[in-house]
Amino acid sequence: HLFTETYDFIQELKQSKLLHNANLYVYQPRSFSTREDFDKAFGKDLYKTNPEKYAYLSKVEPTLSALDDTRATAWITGRRRSQGGERTHVDILEIDDWSHSINTTTSISSKLVPRYKLNPLAFWTYSQVWDYIHKYNIPYNKLHDKGYKSIGDVMNTAPVAHNASERSGRFVGLANISECGIHATRAKIIAMKQQAEAQGHEYNGVADLPSC
């Protein structure tokens, strides 16, 4: 559900020397390889009729799968306090809400350890970010040249005036939503897990989400 320019940007990053020998993985919603297949299964308006379910299917579950598959002990975001909303009080270092297990060095047993979330730009301003991008010739999504200050899904992201707040063009038409779900879903996921366990079966992500 992303813009064509965003997919083009992904390809640009794959070829960029800035990544050196790093591997860039692209994750998609489970069992779906195209937007058309996803919309056929859940309806093209799922993001409006059930935004929590849409956020989990399209954002949260792929992110968690990526973190688990790569056995990440930390992950980095670009969240900043100047973006406002739920990000106003973000810290540079956070303990991630998703506890995960790792194998110990002495046996095949595992133990729960915290996963860290790093927000190195937490105290940067919008202007500082763009000053750095231009100074060091950092690649960026070309939608920024078309008035998009913050970029998400094509259905609910819009360009804004140059003096508008940074994320004012996000979640257009969706009331009381300021995050895509990746950073603001812990309580919701816990509630889903508790509901599944109350029904006597193990929580299994997508399979246990309530229907539309």
Side-chain angles (χ1 to χ4, degrees):
H1 295 80
L2 304 178
F3 287 85
T4 299
E5 289 87 346
T6 301
Y7 292 111
D8 290 342
F9 181 49
I10 292 172
Q11 295 305 315
E12 180 183 357
L13 286 178
K14 286 183 176 181
Q15 300 171 12
S16 173
K17 294 181 179 180
L18 289 175
L19 292 181
H20 300 290
N21 295 319
N23 293 319
L24 181 62
Y25 299 95
V26 176
Y27 278 77
Q28 299 167 316
R30 187 184 301 177
S31 302
F32 300 100
S33 59
T34 68
R35 174 180 176 179
E36 289 72 21
D37 290 341
F38 184 95
D39 289 348
K40 183 177 180 180
F42 299 105
K44 65 179 182 180
D45 291 330
L46 180 64
Y47 77 100
K48 291 190 294 187
T49 59
N50 195 333
E52 293 180 5
K53 181 174 182 178
Y54 173 79
Y56 185 85
L57 289 168
S58 66
K59 315 291 183 185
V60 179
E61 193 280 328
T63 298
L64 296 181
S65 293
L67 292 171
D68 289 340
D69 289 350
T70 58
R71 302 180 63 80
T73 55
W75 56 303
I76 301 173
T77 86
R79 294 184 301 159
R80 294 180 286 104
R81 292 189 173 196
S82 65
Q83 291 172 319
E86 297 180 35
R87 305 184 179 199
T88 302
H89 303 292
V90 67
D91 291 319
I92 292 177
L93 177 63
E94 301 172 323
I95 293 180
D96 197 357
D97 290 326
W98 316 107
S99 294
H100 66 298
S101 60
I102 60 171
N103 291 333
T104 64
T105 57
T106 57
S107 69
I108 60 173
S109 63
S110 61
K111 64 178 180 179
L112 290 178
V113 297
R115 178 184 284 136
Y116 295 97
K117 184 184 292 186
L118 305 176
N119 309 298
L121 306 182
F123 293 93
W124 283 37
T125 65
Y126 182 78
S127 295
Q128 286 176 315
V129 170
W130 280 100
D131 286 344
Y132 189 92
I133 289 173
H134 293 312
K135 181 177 181 179
Y136 294 101
N137 196 29
I138 305 298
Y140 62 88
N141 192 319
K142 300 310 178 187
L143 285 173
H144 288 296
D145 294 332
K146 300 179 180 180
Y148 292 82
K149 285 191 170 183
S150 180
I151 301 168
D153 290 326
V154 65
M155 312 89 64
N156 54 22
T157 305
V160 298
H162 73 280
N163 59 346
S165 59
E166 184 176 346
R167 289 172 63 81
S168 59
R170 296 290 301 277
F171 312 107
V172 176
L174 301 176
N176 302 318
I177 296 180
S178 63
E179 286 287 352
C180 65
I182 295 174
H183 304 294
T185 59
R186 181 172 185 260
K188 300 170 187 176
I189 301 303
I190 289 177
M192 293 175 186
K193 181 177 185 295
Q194 292 174 338
Q195 180 180 1
E197 292 174 345
Q199 296 173 357
H201 58 92
E202 184 178 355
Y203 177 69
N204 190 32
V206 175
D208 297 312
L209 284 168
S211 60
C212 293

